[in-house]
Amino acid sequence: MAKRIVESFIDDIDGSEAEGTTRFALDGVNYEIDLSGSNREKLEKALAPYITKARAVRGDRGVRGRRAGALSPRAVSREKATEIRRWAKAQGLPVSERGRIASTVVEQYEAAH
């Protein structure tokens, strides 16, 4: 006897057929929701103004001795650090080639941008 098992996704908003699961996070909480293409587009459109102004964050790598999420609010991505170093040098500010950038330099950069 043959058996066919079909898994289908149902849109959690309107009950229509969903294309799949969409994942997102807010305030350190990860969420999943099954959405149709049109509802996913609505979610993306609603979040777009915030996403364009936000910084992408890599997942926690289990930093030893720190709780997850306990990183400094001033921690910056590698790309942004490179940008800040370039800007600081152009301004004549002292900045190291590697390692942590002084919070005063980061604050000055943010105030200028």
Side-chain angles (χ1 to χ4, degrees):
M1 175 156 99
K3 218 188 253 193
R4 178 181 293 184
I5 299 173
V6 177
E7 181 179 36
S8 62
F9 291 94
I10 305 299
D11 188 301
D12 291 325
I13 299 297
D14 62 17
S16 65
E17 187 173 330
E19 292 182 4
T21 302
T22 299
R23 295 179 180 155
F24 61 99
L26 181 64
D27 292 334
V29 179
N30 295 315
Y31 298 93
E32 288 185 348
I33 188 168
D34 297 331
L35 295 174
S36 64
S38 64
N39 280 333
R40 181 179 168 107
E41 287 176 17
K42 288 177 187 175
L43 176 63
E44 290 172 347
K45 187 175 181 180
L47 293 175
Y50 304 98
I51 291 172
T52 58
K53 301 294 184 182
R55 295 174 299 277
V57 178
R58 292 183 186 174
D60 286 335
R61 289 182 274 166
V63 179
R64 192 180 297 195
R66 290 187 176 171
R67 292 176 298 131
L71 295 175
S72 163
R74 294 271 179 219
V76 296
S77 69
R78 182 173 291 168
E79 294 80 17
K80 188 165 183 179
T82 300
E83 185 179 322
I84 293 171
R85 282 189 173 89
R86 250 188 252 130
W87 175 85
K89 287 176 186 175
Q91 303 303 310
L93 298 172
V95 64
S96 62
E97 292 294 324
R98 296 177 54 186
R100 186 179 165 277
I101 300 173
S103 62
T104 56
V105 174
V106 175
E107 289 168 1
Q108 290 176 50
Y109 171 83
E110 289 174 352
H113 293 89

